[in-house]
Amino acid sequence: MKLSKKNLDQRLDHLYDVIIVGGGAGGLAAAMYLQRYRLSCLVIEKGRGRSFWMQDLRNYLGLSPDTPGRTLLQQGQQHVLSLGGDYLAGFVEAVRDEGETFAVKVKVGKQDSIYPVFRSKYVVAASGIIDQLPHLDDMQNVYDYAGYNLHVCMICDGYEIADKQCGLFVASEAAINTAFVLNWFTPYITVFTQGLCEVGEEMRQKLQEHGYPLVETPIAKFLGHNHEMTGVALTDGSTVELETGLVAMGSHYFNEYLKELDLQWKGENLVTDTMCRTSHPRLFAVGDLKEGINQVSIAVADGTLAATAIWREIRRTSAPRRWES
Ligand code: FAD
Ligand code: FAD
Ligand code: FAD
């Protein structure tokens, strides 16, 4: 059932088997499997996550390479609802461990918000990350191209970049090293720091040896039309022509709601075992938020693993069903 401010009080006394934080690729896959294992789950999704901005899912077996992330989200949500799962548009603020259960506090509604608390035996953290983008006064100018030919993921879109004139947008010296991986796909790389970081002599020399120009002047705006970026205008009035771009400015990790729990992290990523269980036995993590490769195929497989591990555990502790005549 789709929950909203109007009907969610019907579920406040219900103990879900699993609450899934994040209804992207990993969360929806987990929910689909869990419902098919006849467990009860609630998916809570804030909206506008990474798979929402994915204009084309180009490398998922069986799907046409121009399938938008939104299609995946819509179909996934419908699928989960058709299996009897619950779905709520809301922002998870905190997860508290109560011993046998988790209490999940949600902000519902951006205005006149209410803060219901739902309870479950298990939690699947499927809240993912979001890529940092170049910060310009006019962000709409960035959004016009981000996720189109201004890419954010080399694994996803290196193939689209092949042999093209590519701008690499970074905010730290370490991220400049992306150029020496990106050159598998194209050698025509211009690095843009916007002056956000110092670049040491060694790195300058390495870039020079490879023939990759370094531009440290801030960007005034991206140029292009129809979601196709064709270059950048710099604040000194000059322009650089490009055919494509890759942003490597780091990510924001949606993990704030987990900070009260004692969990094992690697940087901002959650560490899990092979079934996606974190260091907390009743908390699983799937997709981009956990350590590993950030891909839809991995998130979906993670959801499958986490759901199956949870089902096994609940099934083994449940009384067997007998055919009573
Ligand atoms: P997400 O799909 O991001 O789902 C996490 C969800 O959690 C989000 O919807 C978010 O809104 C929600 N959320 C976060 N915090 C909270 C909270 N506190 N409360 C409630 N909800 C919350 N991958 C590919 O395999 N192939 C591609 O071609 C490809 N192209 C991409 C192109 C772009 C532009 C981008 C941005 C990504 C691309 N990716 C691609 C990567 C892919 O989107 C991710 O790897 C995938 O979505 C990860 O799934 P996930 O479930 O971990 O995260
Ligand atoms: P969030 O982090 O989602 O939320 C901020 C706060 O709002 C939360 O802390 C919470 O208190 C509250 N909140 C959020 N959701 C809910 C909810 N459902 N219920 C109650 N409270 C809630 N952004 C655009 O605007 N346009 C674009 O075209 C665009 N394109 C992008 C392309 C790419 C490739 C990428 C990576 C990002 C893009 N962005 C775009 C995303 C942008 O960077 C923001 O991350 C996104 O807009 C989410 O903004 P938000 O304010 O809702 O932030
Ligand atoms: P396969 O898809 O079996 O691919 C292996 C291929 O290798 C085969 O095509 C085989 O012909 C070929 N091969 C083997 N030996 C050789 C050789 N020596 N030389 C050349 N070729 C060779 N999974 C789900 O997720 N959901 C479902 O609903 C589902 N339903 C199923 C229903 C049925 C009836 C069956 C049989 C399976 C179902 N599965 C389902 C399981 C799913 O099919 C497998 O998990 C999946 O196909 C495994 O992928 P794979 O690449 O490992 O193996």
Side-chain angles (χ1 to χ4, degrees):
M1 178 166 81
K2 209 159 179 171
L3 302 187
S4 66
K5 273 185 189 171
K6 291 199 184 94
N7 63 358
L8 63 79
D9 53 334
Q10 292 177 34
R11 291 293 198 264
L12 294 179
D13 296 330
H14 178 68
L15 177 60
Y16 286 100
D17 290 309
V18 189
I19 290 178
I20 300 167
V21 184
L28 289 170
M32 190 175 84
Y33 272 83
L34 286 162
Q35 288 298 132
R36 288 180 62 90
Y37 288 135
R38 307 186 74 191
L39 297 171
S40 78
C41 61
L42 166 64
V43 177
I44 306 169
E45 165 60 43
K46 73 174 178 61
R48 295 159 35 112
R50 219 168 170 232
S51 42
F52 178 85
W53 300 115
M54 179 170 63
Q55 302 302 328
D56 307 284
L57 169 52
R58 301 183 198 268
N59 48 13
Y60 199 89
L61 187 72
L63 291 182
S64 152
D66 58 2
T67 306
R70 282 163 218 214
T71 300
L72 213 70
L73 295 176
Q74 278 158 11
Q75 282 185 359
Q77 191 192 125
Q78 281 315 313
H79 197 161
V80 169
L81 288 169
S82 75
L83 292 165
D86 285 351
Y87 187 99
L88 172 66
F91 182 91
V92 173
E93 290 209 328
V95 171
R96 208 177 67 245
D97 188 3
E98 299 179 315
E100 299 282 295
T101 56
F102 284 112
V104 179
K105 184 183 168 204
V106 190
K107 177 181 172 194
V108 180
K110 282 203 174 186
Q111 275 119 36
D112 301 323
S113 312
I114 57 168
Y115 295 86
V117 175
F118 297 90
R119 287 190 163 72
S120 62
K121 298 176 191 163
Y122 290 81
V123 162
V124 174
S127 42
I129 65 177
I130 194 85
D131 315 79
Q132 316 271 19
L133 296 173
H135 194 83
L136 303 186
D137 286 342
D138 176 14
M139 280 311 286
Q140 192 49 50
N141 173 246
V142 181
Y143 297 149
D144 281 346
Y145 306 109
Y148 295 91
N149 73 333
L150 179 56
H151 302 289
V152 295
C153 165
M154 200 194 312
I155 297 176
C156 314
D157 295 313
Y159 186 84
E160 295 356 279
I161 292 171
D163 300 327
K164 292 196 172 140
Q165 297 223 21
C166 182
L168 174 65
F169 301 91
V170 301
S172 69
E173 180 172 349
I176 297 178
N177 287 306
T178 310
F180 309 113
V181 183
L182 182 60
N183 64 6
W184 172 261
F185 294 104
T186 184
Y188 312 120
I189 300 167
T190 305
V191 177
F192 295 84
T193 66
Q194 301 204 71
L196 294 171
C197 58
E198 293 284 317
V199 183
E201 208 36 57
E202 209 176 316
M203 183 59 88
R204 286 178 191 275
Q205 221 159 32
K206 193 169 174 187
L207 286 170
Q208 211 167 33
E209 279 162 20
H210 284 74
Y212 306 158
L214 172 67
V215 177
E216 296 179 273
T217 312
I219 295 167
K221 64 184 270 202
F222 286 93
L223 305 170
H225 48 84
N226 246 344
H227 299 305
E228 187 159 330
M229 190 265 295
T230 55
V232 290
L234 302 174
T235 51
D236 64 8
S238 63
T239 58
V240 180
E241 275 184 34
L242 299 168
E243 294 171 289
T244 184
L246 179 69
V247 179
M249 300 181 67
S251 310
H252 174 80
Y253 292 71
F254 292 118
N255 57 17
E256 294 86 355
Y257 63 96
L258 294 168
K259 290 294 164 77
E260 281 177 33
L261 302 172
D262 181 23
L263 297 169
Q264 193 190 343
W265 300 89
K266 184 165 181 190
E268 300 265 340
N269 281 124
L270 278 164
V271 176
T272 70
D273 69 9
T274 53
M275 294 302 277
C276 298
R277 195 191 302 259
T278 67
S279 55
H280 187 300
R282 289 181 294 108
L283 195 128
F284 288 72
V286 302
D288 290 358
L289 190 59
K290 75 165 226 317
E291 206 188 346
I293 298 176
N294 295 345
Q295 289 288 284
V296 172
S297 55
I298 304 289
V300 168
D302 284 348
T304 309
L305 292 170
T308 305
I310 293 169
W311 170 53
R312 275 184 195 152
E313 214 157 82
I314 293 181
R315 173 169 54 79
R316 284 174 186 160
T317 55
S318 305
R321 295 174 73 195
R322 296 182 198 287
W323 185 347
E324 318 269 6
S325 51

